[in-house]
């Protein structure tokens, strides 16, 4: 029995350590984007030139609540109840989405390629439990943490570090929006001023036109005198009669 024990150990599956990659996901900064963070989305740089040694792996984005990042189970399979977006943030504290292959993240970046990922951009599948890997809108301001995880089959083979905490924007309540002049932007004030000047010019033009027409019809009229009567003399037409021929 003792001699068989080492053989049994050899037959046991060998546990592979997950590769810890020296990369931390970050909000994109190049080029600067409008809406880098919104009330339900944020934009990350793609992990270019990060998973070069894992040609056959599927690369997933893990989105977790800040407080739950350290307890995420790397062996949890994507597309299950344990990692479904529809259960986030309770009872699911971290979900997996935006799967891609290494071909989607070529290195170096070809010119003109879009190299960002907008997290939270899909609204059509947010309530669809048939799509547990939905990249749905984030349910609150956070904070959140994200990392990329590479799987070969169902086995995790490499992962990045967790990002720094990411906070989303919060909508202002209507009661906090100022209605005084101090709350208006400089652009709105400039537009209002320009429109006021144009209206004043138009009004002045209309007034000048009315005054001009009124003066032309009253003070500027001409007096026509009665023309002198013209006497037309009547002439009698003298008829010329043939004179009788002279007698010889």
């Amino acid at each position: 029995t003792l001699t068989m024990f080492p053989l049994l150990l050899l037959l046991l599956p060998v546990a592979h350590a997950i590769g810890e990659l020296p990369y931390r996901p970050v909000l994109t900064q190049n080029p600067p984007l409008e809406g880098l963070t919104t009330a339900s989305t944020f934009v990350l740089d793609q992990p270019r030139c990060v998973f070069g040694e894992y040609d056959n792996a599927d690369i997933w984005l893990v989105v977790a609540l800040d407080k739950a990042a350290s307890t995420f189970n790397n062996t949890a399979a994507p597309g299950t109840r344990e990692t479904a977006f529809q259960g986030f943030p309770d009872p699911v504290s971290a979900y997996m989405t935006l799967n891609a292959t290494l071909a989607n993240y070529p290195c170096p970046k070809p010119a003109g390629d879009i190299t960002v990922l907008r997290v939270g951009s899909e609204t059509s599948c947010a309530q669809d439990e048939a799509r547990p890997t939905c990249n749905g809108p984030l349910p609150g301001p956070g904070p959140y943490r994200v990392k990329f995880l590479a799987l070969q089959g169902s086995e995790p083979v490499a992962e990045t570090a967790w990002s720094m905490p990411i906070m989303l924007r919060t909508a202002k309540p209507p009661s906090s929006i100022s209605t005084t002049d101090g709350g208006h932007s400089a652009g709105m004030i400039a537009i209002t001023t320009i429109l006021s000047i144009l209206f004043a010019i138009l009004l002045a033009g209309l007034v000048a036109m009315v005054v001009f027409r009124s003066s032309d019809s009253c003070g500027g009229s001409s007096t026509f005198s009665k023309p002198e009567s013209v006497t037309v003399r009547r002439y009698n037409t003298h008829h010329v009669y043939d004179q009788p021929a002279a007698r010889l």
Side-chain angles (χ1 to χ4, degrees):
T1 305
L2 294 177
T3 57
M4 294 294 294
F5 186 72
L7 295 176
L8 293 174
L9 291 177
L10 292 175
L11 295 176
L12 292 175
V14 179
H16 297 282
I18 298 178
E20 300 287 342
L21 303 177
Y23 176 81
R24 187 185 300 275
V26 294
L27 295 176
T28 188
Q29 298 295 332
N30 190 22
L33 295 177
E34 291 293 332
L36 181 63
T37 60
T38 68
S40 60
T41 69
F42 57 87
V43 182
L44 296 173
D45 279 333
Q46 291 182 357
R48 298 292 180 104
C49 307
V50 175
F51 293 93
E53 299 179 5
Y54 304 93
D55 296 343
N56 299 322
D58 291 322
I59 302 167
W60 292 83
L61 177 70
V62 182
V63 182
L65 294 173
D66 177 35
K67 61 184 180 182
S70 60
T71 60
F72 175 72
N73 180 13
N74 283 336
T75 62
T80 62
R81 288 185 175 273
E82 188 179 357
T83 59
F85 169 80
Q86 287 76 19
F88 185 79
D90 185 28
V92 176
S93 58
Y95 66 95
M96 299 173 70
T97 187
L98 291 176
N99 64 306
T101 64
L102 197 60
N104 298 115
Y105 302 136
C107 178
K109 177 184 79 69
D113 267 17
I114 297 175
T115 60
V116 298
L117 298 172
R118 182 171 288 278
V119 182
S121 62
E122 294 184 74
T123 57
S124 60
C125 58
Q127 303 298 326
D128 186 359
E129 294 186 358
R131 293 187 58 189
T133 60
C134 175
N135 180 29
L138 294 161
Y144 302 100
R145 287 181 185 263
V146 297
K147 72 174 179 179
F148 291 99
L149 176 65
L151 302 178
Q152 287 184 344
S154 59
E155 181 182 355
V157 292
E159 65 179 356
T160 68
W162 286 101
S163 69
M164 298 301 291
I166 299 172
M167 286 292 299
L168 302 186
R169 296 184 180 183
T170 55
K172 292 183 178 181
S175 58
S176 67
I177 299 176
S178 175
T179 57
T180 61
D181 291 339
H184 296 295
S185 66
M188 288 297 295
I189 294 174
I191 292 173
T192 302
T193 303
I194 292 172
L195 291 177
S196 299
I197 294 173
L198 291 176
F199 179 75
I201 293 173
L202 178 61
L203 183 61
L206 291 174
V207 171
M209 184 183 298
V210 171
V211 171
F212 177 77
R213 288 190 175 181
S214 176
S215 62
D216 184 57
S217 61
C218 296
S221 60
S222 301
T223 302
F224 295 96
S225 58
K226 182 178 179 180
E228 295 181 359
S229 59
V230 179
T231 303
V232 179
R233 293 182 179 181
R234 183 176 182 181
Y235 291 92
N236 292 326
T237 303
H238 297 277
H239 297 280
V240 179
Y241 299 96
D242 294 335
Q243 299 295 325
R247 292 182 181 180
L248 297 177

